[in-house]
Amino acid sequence: MKDLTIDNITENVHFINAQCSDRRLKFILERLVSHAHDLVRETRLSTEEWMEAIQFLTQVGQTCTETRQEFILLSDILGISLLVDAIDHPKPPGASEGTVLGPFHTHEAQNIEHGGGIASDPEGEPLLVLCTVRDSAGKALENVTIDVWETDSKGFYDVQYANHDGPDGRAILTSDKDGIFWFKAIVPVPYPIPSDGPVGKLLAKLGRHCYRPSHMHFMFNHPIYDPLITALYLKNDPYETSDAVFGVKNTLVVELGRVEDEAIASKYGVKVGSALMTYDFVLVTKEEALNLRYKNAAAAMKAQGKKMDYLNGLPVPEVD
Amino acid sequence: MKDLTIDNITENVHFINAQCSDRRLKFILERLVSHAHDLVRETRLSTEEWMEAIQFLTQVGQTCTETRQEFILLSDILGISLLVDAIDHPKPPGASEGTVLGPFHTHEAQNIEHGGGIASDPEGEPLLVLCTVRDSAGKALENVTIDVWETDSKGFYDVQYANHDGPDGRAILTSDKDGIFWFKAIVPVPYPIPSDGPVGKLLAKLGRHCYRPSHMHFMFNHPIYDPLITALYLKNDPYETSDAVFGVKNTLVVELGRVEDEAIASKYGVKVGSALMTYDFVLVTKEEALNLRYKNAAAAMKAQGKKMDYLNGLPVPEVD
């Protein structure tokens, strides 16, 4: 542990970290240190650059507040959030796909009844959202908890306002016995992710725009089913193919309809001609997701030539 | 840029970042994203683990103050700081080696004359520090600026005290025409790096102690010579071979002497029997360091099979 050089330091850091009794943490740290050191070696990172990176990370941390998570934003714009979700919540064919949570989910949303309104903004275009949630065999799922959230018509979430004093543009619903849930909202608009912080400045340096295409967030929870964090994106949005946080998937792009029928308009308490978003979500069971996660992990480890044990479905190197 | 999967997302993030006009930033980001994504794929990182990591990084950022840099501490305990320094300040044979800066260098230190005292702590054991600074041909170097800093006898730097109101245990000297600089200090003691923050908690989880062996920091600056950030470590310290931040090198370990001679004691204004630290530092020119850095970088790139251009001595991929 003396005379550490460019070439031997990595093994030495592994050696001292190998005392860790948590096998999973030890494995993650071993991979983290290897990749961090390789990054430095491959780029021949200079002290000045590293100090700039340290300052950047410090600013990211210090930009975080109770209602703003700049590290999640950083993770989002580097595609890490999407990747982690894809690994952690694998979907078999037919199941609804997941996408990035984003930094604006909160725990302030109130439960509302079907048909309730989630958005107070009078300038937003009224939208009726009419969805179902089913299992992969097509069975309606009752009592699924659904968090929904969106920005106002200016592209800001409630918590982004300095004078924010309660939830707006968000609510929690529970699916009924037919797997239906419905609510009134406003037509989503494209918006910039917060660009006044260090992550926004990084995007500018990279020559990237900071826009997300119009979307509505949905999060599904149920004791038996794997949590689904997803969003629906509006077709033909100008940012449909260049989302700053890599969230768009073809199966999550929807074309808004119109409430054409007087009876329907009356049933749901909206005007004829109102914008309409419909979607049939399909959840997989926790067991099915766990099995698929394990199967994918085992295949990936095999492809890397690694023999692994699994703790709670997560790989750790075999003990010698 | 739609339907991103575990396998294609990395290329897509590279594609969107490729708009960056700063070739060096583009290269670093390309490597960063590749390594971050590989880390996630290789460990099959879960959403819960990633959220824990996000919380950890946020806490690291929020622990930073004007006088505490928790991200540097994190970089130190993962061996990254030492690695970056080794790459950025390569030393030819015969030159003094560098080591970690640590998070406690400040810009508060005052200039003192040779023989001045840097530490006010009456409980510290008095130490006479008597050094020279030369070039690699042995020529004495005049007018080199030398920052020195150390903890008090309890193992704390001045800025770690809540009631801190000025520099203590630190000073700036300038070498004389014989390359000599000398000052009065106290014998360094081992001390724990700050362990009350997230980095300390990580060390505990890893089963690692948080001690650094006894040492005195030195930083050399001169218009012609490559900055040398280093430290001298006391021989036979209990943590000599297990420094929490990987800073010890054999050539930087010194055995303290004693001022035996009455004439010497009188000349330097210390008591006979006082502890004595001596060292002859050797600097290399900026030009020599730049050439060596470039040579090492070129060899490393060649070993990786990469053809590169160099901007300010730092590699970037060749333009197609």
Side-chain angles (χ1 to χ4, degrees), chain B residues 18 30 36 64 72 169-170:
Chain B
E30 188 268 329
C64 295
I72 292 186
R170 61 181 81 236

Side-chain angles (χ1 to χ4, degrees), chain B residues 91 102 141 184 189 274 299:
Chain B
K91 304 293 189 255
L141 297 179
K184 289 165 191 159
V189 295
S274 288

Side-chain angles (χ1 to χ4, degrees), chain B residues 12 30 65 68 89 99 109 114 129 140 143-144 159 165 172 184 190 208 294:
Chain B
N12 272 286
E30 188 268 329
T65 65
R68 178 165 178 174
H89 298 287
T99 186
H114 297 285
V129 184
N143 283 328
V144 176
V159 292
D165 66 351
I172 300 172
K184 289 165 191 159
R208 286 171 55 175
Y294 169 73

